[in-house]
Amino acid sequence: MSSDWRATRVDEIRSLIHRAAPGVVEEAKWKKPSNPDGVPTFSLDGLICTVETYKAKVKVTFAKGASLPDPAGLFVPATGGTRRAVDLAESDDLDADAFVALVQAAVALDRD
């Protein structure tokens, strides 16, 4: 396993979010001793998603994911709640077009 795959994956996700939502604001929130850089959050007319790194995956959590269409099945199965997440391991392929569509749907939902 390469040591920098998560950073590369986060950069890929960040690029797709900016492509999907021009003008998106990225902020680092929830800084703490165990995560001094905080959690990247992306907002545009409301919170779109957060991006967190773990040992074996990068997790993109959509604040209102339960209300978003997901025809490509990117979200991990979930029950209850309003959030939904996309978990990506090092070897996973990300359907860029489907991910961009999720971000665009999240922005549209915040604007309604």
Side-chain angles (χ1 to χ4, degrees), residues 11 14 18 26 33 70-71 74 103:
D11 288 344
R14 178 180 287 116
H18 282 276
E26 180 178 352
D70 182 25
L74 295 181
V103 173

Side-chain angles (χ1 to χ4, degrees), residues 66-80:
S67 299
L68 300 177
D70 182 25
L74 295 181
F75 288 138
V76 294
T79 58

Side-chain angles (χ1 to χ4, degrees), residues 48-50 59-79 82-88 94-95 98-99 101-106 109:
I48 299 168
C49 62
T50 62
K59 178 184 281 293
V60 184
T61 303
F62 284 80
K64 298 178 183 173
S67 299
L68 300 177
D70 182 25
L74 295 181
F75 288 138
V76 294
T79 58
T82 58
R83 296 184 302 271
R84 293 291 180 272
V86 177
D87 287 351
L88 298 162
L94 175 59
D95 182 335
F99 186 83
L102 275 179
V103 173
Q104 290 171 334
L109 182 64

Side-chain angles (χ1 to χ4, degrees), residues 10-80:
V10 170
D11 288 344
E12 173 192 14
I13 291 164
R14 178 180 287 116
S15 175
L16 291 172
I17 292 169
H18 282 276
R19 184 173 103 196
V24 68
V25 175
E26 180 178 352
E27 300 175 277
K29 294 188 178 183
W30 307 297
K31 294 179 182 182
K32 56 186 178 183
S34 62
N35 186 9
D37 293 331
V39 175
T41 64
F42 296 86
S43 302
L44 182 65
D45 298 323
L47 179 62
I48 299 168
C49 62
T50 62
V51 179
E52 297 174 90
T53 56
Y54 297 90
K55 183 177 179 179
K57 66 184 173 188
V58 173
K59 178 184 281 293
V60 184
T61 303
F62 284 80
K64 298 178 183 173
S67 299
L68 300 177
D70 182 25
L74 295 181
F75 288 138
V76 294
T79 58

